Amino acid sequence: PLRPGGVFAFVVFEMGRRLEPIEWREPREKTIGQLRKLNQATFPVSYSPKFYEQVLSIPQFSRLAYHQDVLIGALCSRLENVEGGHVHMYIMTLGVLAPYRHLGIGTRLFDEALKMAIEHDEVEEIYLHVQTSNEDALRFYARFGFVQAETIENYYQRIEPTSCFVLRKRIREGAGAQPLPDVN
């Protein structure tokens, strides 16, 4: 859990060298500009002001990762009520700046999402959208047991390819989607 003030820390090791602790914070009004810049640097799509308003309205479902007071990664998610009285967690974004990838930060961000979902007894699954050409993301989520549930054509409007996969991970009862294709 977050320490009082919404911060917790862990230490990252890179090639045997200890980096400063990574601090984890919930988003606040004063950090939204930083989150906007991180999203611009890590995703091929732009997010609307409504996206950032939503993140601020439910900060308990997001985590910001800081290294030496610089935002280096973020998770933004929300809970959704779906047909039949079910509840799913939707990962809106999970991104880490390129120089900080492969250090376990994305894994820790995902672990936080999983922990939040498990703490809410009503959440049955986690899902997200991934551009069909994003092989790194497909491999990342496959490591955590996500399966490809469907393909949506023309999901994206200003990037190619325009299609995405919907990836799902059941965390309670049942399954039903197909395994992710091998992208190695």
Side-chain angles (χ1 to χ4, degrees):
L2 297 177
R3 295 190 313 221
V7 176
F8 69 97
F10 78 102
V11 177
V12 170
F13 291 86
E14 177 184 20
M15 303 187 65
R17 165 175 82 97
R18 179 184 167 149
L19 298 179
E20 294 297 315
I22 303 299
E23 290 187 31
W24 301 86
R25 305 174 191 167
E26 289 182 357
R28 301 282 183 244
E29 185 72 41
K30 68 180 183 177
T31 60
I32 286 299
Q34 296 170 0
L35 178 59
R36 185 176 282 110
K37 288 179 181 176
L38 180 126
N39 285 346
Q40 289 170 344
T42 56
F43 299 109
V45 297
S46 296
Y47 292 92
S48 71
K50 184 178 178 179
F51 170 88
Y52 297 101
E53 290 168 12
Q54 186 172 44
V55 168
L56 283 174
S57 73
I58 49 171
Q60 68 273 24
F61 294 110
S62 297
R63 294 290 182 267
L64 306 179
Y66 285 85
H67 178 252
Q68 298 179 346
D69 287 326
V70 174
L71 181 62
I72 61 169
L75 159 76
C76 299
S77 64
R78 67 178 183 234
L79 298 186
E80 296 180 345
N81 294 313
V82 294
E83 197 172 308
H86 303 283
V87 177
H88 296 170
M89 174 179 273
Y90 177 57
I91 295 179
M92 299 183 291
T93 62
L94 191 161
V96 176
L97 291 176
Y100 297 92
R101 292 179 188 155
H102 307 290
L103 297 175
I105 296 164
T107 297
R108 287 295 304 264
L109 286 166
F110 175 75
D111 287 346
E112 281 297 304
L114 183 59
K115 186 170 86 174
M116 288 184 274
I118 289 171
E119 287 174 354
H120 288 80
D121 292 337
E122 70 276 14
V123 176
E124 296 176 355
E125 77 175 31
I126 301 172
Y127 81 102
L128 59 124
H129 297 88
V130 173
Q131 190 176 18
T132 55
S133 63
N134 190 341
E135 294 180 2
D136 289 339
L138 293 170
R139 276 192 294 273
F140 177 82
Y141 289 109
R143 286 188 6 232
F144 297 105
F146 277 81
V147 294
Q148 181 182 325
E150 65 183 292
T151 302
I152 301 175
E153 299 298 332
N154 301 313
Y155 181 77
Y156 300 106
Q157 296 177 3
R158 295 180 184 95
I159 59 174
E160 289 292 330
T162 60
S163 57
C164 77
F165 293 127
V166 177
L167 306 183
R168 297 184 183 280
K169 177 181 177 63
R170 299 288 296 177
I171 60 170
R172 291 188 178 82
E173 74 191 42
Q178 299 302 310
L180 287 170
D182 185 13
V183 292
N184 290 327

